Amino acid sequence: KAGVTQTPRYLIKTRGQQVTLSCSPISGHRSVSWYQQTPGQGLQFLFEYFSETQRNKGNFPGRFSGRQFSNSRSEMNVSTLELGDSALYLCASSLGETFMREQYFGPGTRLTVT
Amino acid sequence: QQQVKQSPQSLIVQKGGISIINCAYENTAFDYFPWYQQFPGKGPALLIAIRPDVSEKKEGRFTISFNKSAKQFSLHIMDSQPGDSATYFCAASGTGFQKLVFGTGTRLLVSP
């Protein structure tokens, strides 16, 4: 079974621009979560989606948004990029209606903001 | 109260030795405690996980020890190998959380 895939793997953007990252979960998984990883803050939860509904949101500004499609694929968007948004953005998928804690991560998208 | 505290920040172990990483939590609503292994340029990979109804879980060379009263859990890597050199994260979750709360990570180096 293929793992979680994320595209693109690397991205360089300029301050003020916006960016969209994509995540395809493991086949059959219906929950998708997004995390931001930085050396200073570690792994921080962004949001979680199940059946196209956001079930939980982390403590990030409104510039960070996401959505999930009917095929469980998910996208996250960051608008008005800031230098501090440079990070590895990780997507994780899990199975089931109840939040199944067995999260399987993708390789991440490395975003650099200049 | 949602924090998970992890120590040490870094660890150097000789090949064949035992690597021990510790985590502590405050929120008693946590009831799922996984460990993740992350290699450079890769996403975290689920290694092993435990729930509070058991005090120990072993999978191969990896063992989680769990102390519910102390609200602590630890990862033991027996017979550590150079290929185990990676960053290890503990995490916690619980009913209604809909997310994982991660520790700050431990960078393990196993010297040959």
Side-chain angles (χ1 to χ4, degrees), chain A residues 7 21-25 32 67-75:
Chain A
T7 56
L21 312 181
S22 181
C23 171
S24 293
V32 172
R67 59 178 176 168
Q68 187 181 32
F69 302 96
S70 57
N71 62 358
S72 295
R73 192 177 68 84
S74 177
E75 288 181 348

Side-chain angles (χ1 to χ4, degrees), chain B:
Chain B
Q1 203 184 17
Q2 287 200 12
Q3 280 185 324
V4 177
K5 294 182 180 178
Q6 183 172 348
S7 63
Q9 193 173 10
S10 62
L11 184 60
I12 300 175
V13 173
Q14 290 217 334
K15 179 182 174 181
I18 303 174
S19 304
I20 302 174
I21 305 170
N22 302 297
C23 283
Y25 64 98
E26 289 294 325
N27 196 326
T28 55
F30 288 150
D31 64 359
Y32 173 71
F33 304 90
W35 284 89
Y36 282 83
Q37 178 190 57
Q38 186 177 28
F39 293 104
K42 305 286 187 182
L46 181 61
L47 202 55
I48 186 173
I50 197 168
R51 296 183 190 271
D53 52 343
V54 296
S55 60
E56 186 175 281
K57 183 174 181 180
K58 185 176 180 179
E59 289 184 6
R61 296 184 294 110
F62 300 91
T63 300
I64 299 180
S65 296
F66 185 82
N67 186 327
K68 189 174 181 178
S69 60
K71 290 185 281 187
Q72 295 175 346
F73 58 109
S74 59
L75 176 69
H76 295 231
I77 306 174
M78 312 300 287
D79 187 27
S80 299
Q81 298 296 312
D84 297 330
S85 298
T87 300
Y88 292 82
F89 293 93
C90 62
S93 185
T95 302
F97 273 86
Q98 307 293 106
K99 67 178 181 181
L100 288 169
V101 178
F102 282 89
T104 49
T106 296
R107 197 164 180 177
L108 171 65
L109 177 64
V110 181
S111 59

Side-chain angles (χ1 to χ4, degrees), chain A residues 87-102:
Chain A
L88 181 67
Y89 289 89
L90 292 158
C91 167
S93 76
S94 62
L95 182 66
E97 191 165 335
T98 304
F99 181 71
M100 300 292 286
R101 292 70 168 260
E102 289 77 17

Side-chain angles (χ1 to χ4, degrees), chain A residues 51-97:
Chain A
S51 290
E52 303 178 67
T53 300
Q54 186 182 88
R55 294 197 295 189
N56 196 11
K57 189 178 191 305
N59 190 25
F60 278 81
R63 300 185 296 107
F64 292 81
S65 62
R67 59 178 176 168
Q68 187 181 32
F69 302 96
S70 57
N71 62 358
S72 295
R73 192 177 68 84
S74 177
E75 288 181 348
M76 67 162 281
N77 184 277
V78 188
S79 62
T80 320
L81 283 165
E82 300 177 359
L83 294 178
D85 297 334
S86 294
L88 181 67
Y89 289 89
L90 292 158
C91 167
S93 76
S94 62
L95 182 66
E97 191 165 335

Side-chain angles (χ1 to χ4, degrees), chain A residues 3-79:
Chain A
V4 177
T5 58
Q6 292 186 245
T7 56
R9 292 292 314 278
Y10 303 92
L11 209 46
I12 300 175
K13 290 286 188 179
T14 304
R15 270 180 302 176
Q17 289 186 315
Q18 76 165 18
V19 67
T20 299
L21 312 181
S22 181
C23 171
S24 293
I26 292 171
S27 177
H29 283 196
R30 297 168 65 189
S31 168
V32 172
S33 299
W34 289 88
Y35 293 82
Q36 182 196 64
Q37 185 175 25
T38 59
Q41 298 298 316
L43 281 148
Q44 301 285 315
F45 172 76
L46 280 156
F47 24 66
E48 189 257 352
Y49 288 88
F50 177 82
S51 290
E52 303 178 67
T53 300
Q54 186 182 88
R55 294 197 295 189
N56 196 11
K57 189 178 191 305
N59 190 25
F60 278 81
R63 300 185 296 107
F64 292 81
S65 62
R67 59 178 176 168
Q68 187 181 32
F69 302 96
S70 57
N71 62 358
S72 295
R73 192 177 68 84
S74 177
E75 288 181 348
M76 67 162 281
N77 184 277
V78 188
S79 62

